[in-house]
Amino acid sequence: MNHKIHHLSHTDLDGYGCQMVSAHYFNSIAFYNSNYGKEINECFNQILNNIQTSSLQKHVILITDLNLTMDQAKEFESKVSICDKEIMLFVLDHHKTGQECADAFEWYFLDSSRCATKITYDFFSALYGKNAKLSKFVDVVNAVDIWLENEPEFELGKVCMGLVSGAKEVNKVMFPEENSHYIFSLLTKAQEYFTCKDAHIALDDAIHNIKKQFFVTSTNNTLSNLVSAYNVILLTKNRERMQIMYKEYKGILTYNIGNVSVIGNDFLTANPDLDFFMDITSKKTISLRSNGKVDVSKIAAQIANGGGHHNASGGLLSNFKDAFIYDTIKSQVMSIIANKG
């Protein structure tokens, strides 16, 4: 296929399972992940922006395991039709609530008897050939996603489902490519246990080490410290894109980073020229850390009616509206700071 594929899928095991399948069959592919509602629209617009700026003329937008509303389907079809690039749009869905769209649009395929991963595998394997190892993975996902409790893969599917839902170590909004790579790595490693005796128990016992294997470099450490070190590397690599200002002070803005005390302090130690670390959450709360160069309790008080200590403070940005694209989040926070500065 001489097209660039843009694969948008859900954020659960089935959603990532669909992308594991497409990654097996194609090389020229970009991955995006979304929950339902407005987030789908934001991701779709991001895909269109990437297509518009691409040097390639031919593109495929593949949406899996996401139930579009009729308004979304109409909007997406309209936007694709007026784009000056050649775009094929198609949806592989298994949610009964998508029936209205499936009846109205020929590019919307729906089958509620299989999970989306199995639909995706059956679709591409019919064109490009079956794969025994991938087929086994698909059966595991299918057993748990449509809740086939009597299937032998069901308990293994439950463990894999928990593996994906608990993979919060790499932030999806700030680092979508790295997040996809992490989850694909976990699911690839998980398949090594599929042939073990009591495979679901063997995999469950191994999850902590599977995660550590991804993050460890030359020296072993606790998972928390390994994850912090990994995030510091990512943040440092992206610091120019993520830099914000408060008066004459330079800082970095993160979103739902988690473990702010550890990651924030480790980042500031590795980047001593920056003055503060700010994390904003989907609940509008902010956490601030400093390396002693600025009193973040004063920043918290001024922009977020908060406070705390010289090097560790927090507050609430009540007029912040949650978003799903990092640049949108950063623009909002910079505007809030400018208005209250």
Side-chain angles (χ1 to χ4, degrees), residues 23-64:
H24 173 80
Y25 287 105
F26 305 104
N27 293 320
S28 183
I29 186 165
F31 297 109
Y32 310 78
N33 293 90
S34 169
N35 281 304
Y36 296 103
K38 188 176 71 170
E39 189 171 352
I40 299 177
N41 297 71
E42 289 198 20
C43 285
F44 190 85
N45 289 335
Q46 184 183 32
I47 291 171
L48 287 180
N49 288 336
N50 291 342
I51 289 175
Q52 290 283 23
T53 58
S54 171
S55 60
L56 301 175
Q57 183 62 27
K58 296 181 178 181
H59 298 264
V60 172
I61 300 177
L62 167 63
I63 301 175
T64 57

Side-chain angles (χ1 to χ4, degrees), residues 246-247 278 286-288 294-310 312-317 336-337 340-341:
Y246 173 79
K247 297 183 177 178
M278 179 189 294
I286 62 168
S287 296
L288 289 150
V294 59
D295 185 348
V296 291
S297 69
K298 293 181 179 179
I299 300 178
Q302 183 161 8
I303 71 171
N305 295 317
H309 306 285
H310 188 283
S313 296
L316 180 73
L317 294 184
I336 293 170
I337 291 174
K340 295 191 176 185

Side-chain angles (χ1 to χ4, degrees), residues 34 183 235:
S34 169
I183 293 179
L235 292 170

Side-chain angles (χ1 to χ4, degrees), residues 3-4 6 44 47-49 51-52 56-62 76-77 79-90:
H3 294 71
K4 171 75 173 185
H6 305 264
F44 190 85
I47 291 171
L48 287 180
N49 288 336
I51 289 175
Q52 290 283 23
L56 301 175
Q57 183 62 27
K58 296 181 178 181
H59 298 264
V60 172
I61 300 177
L62 167 63
F76 295 175
E77 184 178 66
K79 286 182 174 180
V80 164
S81 68
I82 62 174
C83 185
D84 58 5
K85 299 292 180 74
E86 183 181 324
I87 303 174
M88 294 171 54
L89 169 66
F90 62 109

Side-chain angles (χ1 to χ4, degrees), residues 61 65 90 172 185 211-212 232 238 242 296 321 336:
I61 300 177
D65 197 34
F90 62 109
K172 179 178 79 71
S185 175
K211 287 187 173 185
K212 287 185 71 172
V232 167
N238 291 274
M242 304 177 74
V296 291
K321 294 182 179 179
I336 293 170

Side-chain angles (χ1 to χ4, degrees), residues 44-286:
F44 190 85
N45 289 335
Q46 184 183 32
I47 291 171
L48 287 180
N49 288 336
N50 291 342
I51 289 175
Q52 290 283 23
T53 58
S54 171
S55 60
L56 301 175
Q57 183 62 27
K58 296 181 178 181
H59 298 264
V60 172
I61 300 177
L62 167 63
I63 301 175
T64 57
D65 197 34
L66 287 168
N67 172 201
L68 303 186
T69 66
M70 181 58 73
D71 286 343
Q72 285 173 325
K74 290 178 180 178
E75 177 187 342
F76 295 175
E77 184 178 66
S78 175
K79 286 182 174 180
V80 164
S81 68
I82 62 174
C83 185
D84 58 5
K85 299 292 180 74
E86 183 181 324
I87 303 174
M88 294 171 54
L89 169 66
F90 62 109
V91 174
L92 301 178
D93 189 19
H94 75 119
H95 300 98
K96 289 183 178 179
T97 45
Q99 190 63 57
E100 183 182 13
C101 291
D103 292 339
F105 301 97
E106 61 180 11
W107 46 263
Y108 198 115
F109 178 81
L110 175 68
D111 180 0
S112 60
S113 69
R114 297 172 285 171
C115 75
T117 298
K118 185 162 178 58
I119 294 172
T120 306
Y121 175 73
D122 290 346
F123 182 86
F124 288 125
S125 65
L127 294 171
Y128 304 112
K130 298 182 182 297
N131 178 275
K133 184 178 179 182
L134 185 59
S135 179
K136 173 66 175 178
F137 170 75
V138 169
D139 288 342
V140 169
V141 177
N142 190 66
V144 70
D145 195 74
I146 61 174
W147 214 253
L148 303 175
E149 295 181 82
N150 295 323
E151 290 295 315
E153 298 88 0
F154 178 72
E155 289 297 331
L156 191 53
K158 282 167 60 179
V159 179
C160 289
M161 183 169 60
L163 177 62
V164 171
S165 65
K168 306 297 186 185
E169 290 80 9
V170 183
N171 187 279
K172 179 178 79 71
V173 173
M174 292 189 294
F175 309 119
E177 289 185 21
E178 292 84 356
N179 173 73
S180 292
H181 177 60
Y182 177 48
I183 293 179
F184 292 168
S185 175
L186 294 181
L187 290 175
T188 299
K189 278 285 185 182
Q191 293 177 59
E192 296 177 7
Y193 295 84
F194 283 10
T195 56
C196 292
K197 180 183 178 182
D198 296 326
H200 60 295
I201 299 174
L203 175 57
D204 188 65
D205 289 343
I207 284 178
H208 186 75
N209 282 331
I210 289 174
K211 287 187 173 185
K212 287 185 71 172
Q213 286 173 32
F214 180 87
F215 295 107
V216 73
T217 53
S218 57
T219 306
N220 195 13
N221 208 320
T222 64
L223 179 60
S224 175
N225 287 340
L226 291 171
V227 169
S228 179
Y230 176 86
N231 276 285
V232 167
I233 291 171
L234 285 185
L235 292 170
T236 301
K237 179 181 177 182
N238 291 274
R239 51 173 278 173
E240 289 188 15
R241 177 175 71 96
M242 304 177 74
Q243 183 174 301
I244 58 172
M245 298 292 297
Y246 173 79
K247 297 183 177 178
E248 71 271 25
Y249 298 106
K250 291 190 300 182
I252 190 170
L253 176 70
T254 62
Y255 173 78
N256 280 339
I257 192 72
N259 207 6
V260 174
S261 292
V262 175
I263 297 175
N265 285 293
D266 286 351
F267 173 81
L268 291 171
T269 298
N271 296 268
D273 58 312
L274 293 186
D275 304 307
F276 66 92
F277 183 101
M278 179 189 294
D279 182 71
I280 186 164
T281 73
S282 50
K283 295 181 179 180
K284 306 185 180 187
T285 59
I286 62 168

